[in-house]
């Protein structure tokens, strides 16, 4: 990570927060914790606010984005806020016809599979996402010392939605394109990398003090295919924001075999799902990077003492890494009892690190 020059949230208290310290591999007095999808349907106050407003419409309304992002920070006392948005927001912003269908996910009107369709994926310009920059600016003012994490979808995960036209179990069409027309594939991912990089840059320049690149579906690939067809483009995104001076978190699901490479493409922190213990993950990632994770989100449906036993194990295993940010191994499930999350934050914060 390079030192900060253009990053406007040089609030010393933010920079000295446990979350940013752990991302940088510095000592912390307690383990920082936040949750992927901490904002969202597990919170009744979120469901009330979203009534009658479509998901994508809410992402372009700064008043809603600010309030929804703050809700879990107020309720759970987490160490970081994650910007309320979605990975498909920058695609919508450059004019791709898509929607987020409740209970399903992103659905693309005209899936991409041919060269002439690539033109639709033009670079993102600042003017496309003014409401996003405005919301980030307001949030940073409201959050005070609490860091705000900006995020983007990684080129592969975005490509999967664009090529399949929606969520997919086996990513068949995506892999078919990758293997049958590698030239078109690399052009597609190259364009998506520029969109993702610019979306991160806008958020950091507006005040986000860390970024996370979500490659949620990268775990469906072999290491060989990931390395050849995906890693160069994720590197474009992560190296492209290196100069902004904020920690870069790189996350995917089922990525046990990819962890080392996901670190090497330009991450300061590697997100780990629950399948690989953090001490083993730290071995695979190497000594130069921190880890984030990795409680199985379904564990939160178990009795509190079971949840806390798993959390204690994860904290102990995380000590093998250069730094540890506690999180789930994937997003909060909508059915989760929010009080279980609040209790988990209390437990992690109260855990004695000797
Ligand atoms: O983490 C947070 O609290 C920030 C908000 C956030 C959302 N989406 C809000 C959202 C983040 C970081 C995302 C990223 C995202 N979106 C990913 C990567 C993370 C992951 O979960 O792997 C992916 C794959 C998407 C695509 C997507 N958008 C899916 C699969 C869904 C769920 C569809 C459903 O209804 O079950 C969405 C919609 C979405 N994005 C919701 C939220 C809160 C639910 C929509 C609603 O509340 O109506």
């Amino acid at each position: 990570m390079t030192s900060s020059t253009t990053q406007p949230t040089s609030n010393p208290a933010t920079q000295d927060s446990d979350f940013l310290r752990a991302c940088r591999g510095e000592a912390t007095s307690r383990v920082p914790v936040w949750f992927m999808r901490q904002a969202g349907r597990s919170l009744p106050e979120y469901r009330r606010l979203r009534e009658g407003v479509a998901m994508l419409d809410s992402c372009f309304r700064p008043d809603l984005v600010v309030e929804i992002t703050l809700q879990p920070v107020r309720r759970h006392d987490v160490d970081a806020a994650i910007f309320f948005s979605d990975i498909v927001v920058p695609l919508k912003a450059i004019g791709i016809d898509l929607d987020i269908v409740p209970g399903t996910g992103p659905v693309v009107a005209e899936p991409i599979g041919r060269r002439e369709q690539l033109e639709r994926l033009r670079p993102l310009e600042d003017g496309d996402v003014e409401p996003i920059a405005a919301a980030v600016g307001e949030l940073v003012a409201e959050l005070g010392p609490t860091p705000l994490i900006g995020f983007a979808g990684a080129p592969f995960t975005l490509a999967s939605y664009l090529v399949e036209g929606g969520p997919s179990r086996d990513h068949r069409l995506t892999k078919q394109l990758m293997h049958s027309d590698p030239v078109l594939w690399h052009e597609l991912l190259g364009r998506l990398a520029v969109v993702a990089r610019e979306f991160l840059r806008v958020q950091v320049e507006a005040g986000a003090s860390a970024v996370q690149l979500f490659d949620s579906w990268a775990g469906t690939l072999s290491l060989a295919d990931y390395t050849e067809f995906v890693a160069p483009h994720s590197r474009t995104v992560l190296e492209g924001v290196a100069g902004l001076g904020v920690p870069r978190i790189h996350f995917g699901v089922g990525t046990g075999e990819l962890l080392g490479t996901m670190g090497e493409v330009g991450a300061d922190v590697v997100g780990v799902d629950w399948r690989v213990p953090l001490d083993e993950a730290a071995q695979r990632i190497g000594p130069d990077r921190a880890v984030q994770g990795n409680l199985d989100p379904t564990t939160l449906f178990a009795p509190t003492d079971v949840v806390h036993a798993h959390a204690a194990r994860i904290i102990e295993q995380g000590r093998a890494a250069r730094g540890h940010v506690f999180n789930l191994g994937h997003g909060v499930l909508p059915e989760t009892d929010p009080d279980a999350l609040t209790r988990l934050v209390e437990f992690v914060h109260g855990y004695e690190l000797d």
Side-chain angles (χ1 to χ4, degrees):
M1 216 179 75
T2 48
S3 66
S4 170
T5 44
T6 46
Q7 217 279 322
T9 49
S10 301
N11 176 349
T14 306
Q15 289 305 322
D16 203 37
S17 63
D18 284 335
F19 169 72
L20 289 179
R21 290 182 64 88
C23 289
R24 296 190 299 250
E26 298 164 10
T28 57
S29 53
R30 49 186 209 178
V31 177
V33 48
W34 68 280
F35 304 116
M36 292 181 277
R37 291 278 171 97
Q38 62 191 18
R41 280 173 294 179
S42 66
L43 301 184
E45 59 269 35
Y46 169 82
R47 295 197 297 266
R48 272 198 301 277
L49 208 57
R50 276 285 319 285
E51 257 168 43
V53 187
M55 173 67 194
L56 270 176
D57 291 342
S58 70
C59 294
F60 287 90
R61 280 187 46 187
D63 58 331
L64 289 179
V65 171
V66 169
E67 177 57 22
I68 292 171
T69 302
L70 292 172
Q71 284 175 344
V73 180
R74 288 193 203 110
R75 187 191 259 264
H76 303 310
D77 190 30
V78 280
D79 291 87
I82 179 150
F83 187 65
F84 179 77
S85 191
D86 195 83
I87 57 169
V88 296
V89 162
L91 299 177
K92 180 79 180 175
I94 61 167
I96 304 290
D97 185 359
L98 57 83
D99 198 6
I100 295 180
V101 177
T104 300
V107 174
V108 179
E110 208 190 310
I112 290 188
R114 296 190 314 278
R115 168 163 306 278
E116 59 272 23
Q117 295 171 315
L118 285 188
E119 289 308 312
R120 288 194 262 148
L121 291 171
R122 66 163 176 82
L124 184 78
E125 288 157 17
D126 287 13
D128 300 324
V129 281
E130 264 162 21
I132 277 73
V136 170
E138 277 181 50
L139 269 166
V140 170
E142 290 271 344
L143 282 162
T146 304
L148 177 68
I149 305 167
F151 75 90
F156 177 75
T157 292
L158 292 176
S160 151
Y161 285 107
L162 285 173
V163 174
E164 306 285 340
S168 164
R169 188 183 287 270
D170 51 21
H171 307 271
R172 176 175 59 84
L173 296 173
T174 313
K175 292 182 183 183
Q176 184 182 13
L177 180 66
M178 184 174 91
H179 289 297
S180 53
D181 195 342
V183 174
L184 178 57
W185 172 262
H186 283 296
E187 281 183 36
L188 170 64
L189 266 73
R191 285 176 185 250
L192 292 171
V194 171
V195 171
R197 184 194 68 203
E198 292 306 291
F199 193 53
L200 293 181
R201 184 186 53 74
V202 164
Q203 294 171 74
V204 173
E205 287 181 350
S209 49
V211 292
Q212 177 155 328
L213 188 65
F214 281 95
D215 210 351
S216 301
W217 313 138
T220 67
L221 295 167
S222 69
L223 177 59
D225 283 348
Y226 178 78
T227 303
E228 179 175 354
F229 294 107
V230 175
H233 305 288
S234 299
R235 183 188 294 278
T236 300
V237 184
L238 290 169
E239 294 294 354
V241 294
L244 299 175
V246 302
R248 297 154 299 166
I249 309 169
H250 195 186
F251 167 79
V253 183
T255 51
E257 302 304 320
L258 312 181
L259 289 173
T261 309
M262 287 181 73
E264 284 160 15
V265 295
D268 303 294
V269 184
V270 179
V272 182
D273 82 0
W274 59 93
R275 293 170 178 89
V276 182
L278 289 184
D279 47 356
E280 169 63 27
Q283 284 284 323
R284 297 183 192 185
I285 293 160
D288 300 334
R289 297 179 175 86
V291 296
Q292 176 174 278
N294 69 346
L295 183 75
D296 183 337
T298 62
T299 308
L300 287 160
F301 297 83
T304 303
D305 55 333
V306 176
V307 178
H308 292 178
H310 280 271
R313 168 183 56 77
I314 288 164
I315 292 170
E316 289 300 328
Q317 290 166 340
R319 299 174 88 157
R322 181 168 186 262
H324 175 211
V325 175
F326 194 101
N327 205 314
L328 306 181
H330 198 181
V332 172
L333 295 167
E335 301 80 7
T336 306
D337 174 4
D339 292 339
L341 291 168
T342 309
R343 286 195 296 270
L344 177 55
V345 173
E346 273 172 30
F347 178 82
V348 173
H349 282 163
Y351 193 89
E352 295 279 341
L353 296 168
D354 43 60

